Amino acid sequence: KNEVEQSPQNLTAQEGEFITINCSYSVGISALHWLQQHPGGGIVSLFMLSSGKKKHGRLIATINIQEKHSSLHITASHPRDSAVYICAVKETSGSRLTFGEGTQLTVNP
Amino acid sequence: GAVVSQHPSRVICKSGTSVKIECRSLDFQATTMFWYRQFPKKSLMLMATSNEGSKATYEQGVEKDKFLINHASLTLSTLTVTSAHPEDSSFYICSARGYPSGSISYNEQFFGPGTRLTVL
């Protein structure tokens, strides 16, 4: 069992739809990251969370430390949101990030 | 936000040659830099962690003599793939953490755009 699990693995949506990507983890963490990777490879850090909720534009990230669960929401999705979204956690002990397998999001016009 | 650059963005080389990839933190001092490798449709695999001025810590299974990492300053780390072989072809990504400041939080990690290496 992976320490970080994302669902769904693949997600196809129509433009305008509300999207949720989930991340569950099994270790104690000091921070959780949501990353975006477009075709061509570059990774953009969207959020870093240790508690509560953060919002940036149409993106919202939440985390529930007790339940060891985080969600990334995209409101009014757009084809340019099509990318792989990766959840990564920094364990309480150690300096490395542990990555989920990623969620491939495709938003059709 | 903080910016991490990588150079080159893509490189093609012949088998047996060495390739150097540079990773720079452009507007902050990177206390720790990470080098990752990513295979197609797979997640990032940590190769090594380096702190400025000290030797890199390599992950199990990563050959330190093949993947030479130098973190000579607080803004520059290099990865040299020595005697490259076709199986070294991959996407290499660096990432950096900096001193907490007004624009950088503790634990915040910034990623470079990646370098695609193709070994013929």
Side-chain angles (χ1 to χ4, degrees), chain B residues 42-110:
Chain B
K42 295 292 184 184
S43 194
L44 282 71
M45 181 188 79
L46 181 64
M47 298 174 67
T49 303
S50 74
N51 294 299
E52 186 265 339
S54 60
K55 288 185 179 179
T57 302
Y58 289 80
E59 294 299 301
Q60 193 172 8
V62 178
E63 299 175 60
K64 61 180 68 176
D65 294 331
K66 179 164 188 61
F67 298 99
L68 300 178
I69 291 171
N70 184 283
H71 191 167
S73 77
L74 282 171
T75 59
L76 173 64
S77 176
T78 60
L79 167 67
T80 302
V81 182
T82 62
S83 187
H85 287 277
E87 58 264 30
D88 299 325
S89 299
S90 193
F91 192 60
Y92 293 89
I93 303 170
C94 76
S95 179
R97 286 201 192 123
Y99 291 111
S101 68
S103 59
I104 298 175
S105 303
Y106 181 70
N107 283 332
E108 199 160 12
Q109 192 164 327
F110 303 95

Side-chain angles (χ1 to χ4, degrees), chain A residues 30-31 33 35 37 40-45 48 54 86 90 94-97 99-102 104, chain B residues 34 36 38 41-44 46 49 59 91 93 97 105-114 116:
Chain A
S30 56
H33 298 253
L35 310 170
Q37 186 172 29
I43 289 181
V44 174
S45 180
M48 184 184 72
K54 285 190 177 180
I86 303 168
K90 182 177 178 296
S95 63
R96 68 172 66 188
L97 291 180
F99 295 87
E101 291 293 314
Q104 173 69 63
Chain B
F34 305 87
Y36 298 92
Q38 187 179 33
K41 298 194 183 297
K42 295 292 184 184
S43 194
L44 282 71
L46 181 64
T49 303
E59 294 299 301
F91 192 60
I93 303 170
R97 286 201 192 123
S105 303
Y106 181 70
N107 283 332
E108 199 160 12
Q109 192 164 327
F110 303 95
F111 290 82
R116 187 159 303 282

Side-chain angles (χ1 to χ4, degrees), chain A residues 48-109:
Chain A
M48 184 184 72
L49 294 163
S50 54
S51 65
K53 175 180 175 178
K54 285 190 177 180
K55 184 177 189 294
H56 182 69
R58 295 181 294 107
L59 302 178
I60 303 166
T62 64
I63 187 168
N64 185 316
I65 297 294
Q66 286 73 32
E67 294 185 4
K68 296 187 174 177
H69 181 268
S70 175
S71 293
L72 176 68
H73 305 286
I74 305 175
T75 61
S77 59
H78 191 274
R80 64 174 175 266
D81 297 327
S82 299
V84 175
Y85 291 84
I86 303 168
C87 170
V89 302
K90 182 177 178 296
E91 296 183 32
T92 307
S93 59
S95 63
R96 68 172 66 188
L97 291 180
T98 302
F99 295 87
E101 291 293 314
T103 296
Q104 173 69 63
L105 171 66
T106 303
V107 182
N108 294 317

